[in-house]
Amino acid sequence: ENFASKEFLDGSKKAFEYIIKNYSEENLEPLKNLLSSSIYKDFKSQIDARVKKSQNLDITIIGIKSAEIVNASLKSKIALICVKFSSEQVQVVKDLEGKIVEGDNNQILSIDEKWSFSKNLKSKDPNWTLEKIEESN
């Protein structure tokens, strides 16, 4: 069962930070190969909604407290791994002048989410694809 799970978790933490950073910077292009089409669409519609309101979402990840594999399965050639991330983040929504319209720079939120990643084991692409994000408790 231990298919280099430490390596996988290290990689998944990097992916978590990279995806959130680019999402909050409204920069979806570099994420194209890392997101399933449904997550990509979700992110895009959330960003479009903010653009309509002339708002930006600033997310700062203070740290990842833990990342653990809660589920792993293999169906034919597709591996699916679900990781529960507990992170501390600051999330604020700003207008185009940089004034905060929602959230608080001094409030650190504890966020628990389950991220499901998939990979075709026959594929040459080393990247895992983020399939879904669920709130976790």
Side-chain angles (χ1 to χ4, degrees):
E1 218 278 290
N2 191 341
F3 75 108
S5 60
K6 184 184 174 320
E7 245 172 80
F8 174 80
L9 281 172
D10 287 348
S12 75
K13 285 185 210 168
K14 287 196 186 81
F16 179 82
E17 298 199 355
Y18 182 76
I19 288 169
I20 288 177
K21 176 181 184 295
N22 282 284
Y23 166 69
S24 94
E25 291 169 359
E26 301 177 0
N27 191 11
L28 288 183
E29 199 49 45
L31 301 181
K32 267 215 157 102
N33 296 336
L34 302 176
L35 305 177
S36 68
S37 57
S38 68
I39 292 264
Y40 185 86
K41 279 201 216 73
D42 281 355
F43 278 9
K44 187 157 173 25
S45 66
Q46 289 162 13
I47 287 172
D48 289 346
R50 288 199 294 272
V51 168
K52 268 204 186 87
K53 292 185 190 161
S54 305
Q55 292 178 342
N56 294 309
L57 172 64
D58 268 13
I59 303 177
T60 307
I61 297 176
I62 308 298
I64 297 174
K65 288 186 300 210
S66 67
E68 53 177 329
I69 294 173
V70 288
N71 212 326
S73 64
L74 184 58
K75 286 198 180 83
S76 60
K77 295 180 285 285
I78 306 293
L80 193 64
I81 298 180
C82 178
V83 179
K84 180 180 172 184
F85 290 103
S86 295
S87 66
E88 292 187 324
Q89 302 179 18
V90 174
Q91 298 189 355
V92 293
V93 177
K94 296 178 174 173
D95 66 17
L96 295 186
E97 273 95 67
K99 280 213 296 289
I100 293 178
V101 289
E102 210 178 291
D104 177 349
N105 261 333
N106 301 311
Q107 186 189 19
I108 295 176
L109 309 170
S110 290
I111 295 180
D112 291 330
E113 287 176 333
K114 286 193 214 150
W115 286 32
S116 298
F117 297 94
S118 75
K119 180 173 175 18
N120 183 332
L121 298 180
K122 290 274 183 283
S123 160
K124 296 265 183 288
D125 184 352
N127 288 320
W128 289 72
T129 302
L130 177 61
E131 293 290 340
K132 66 176 180 193
I133 298 176
E134 301 165 280
E135 281 184 28
S136 168
N137 33 25

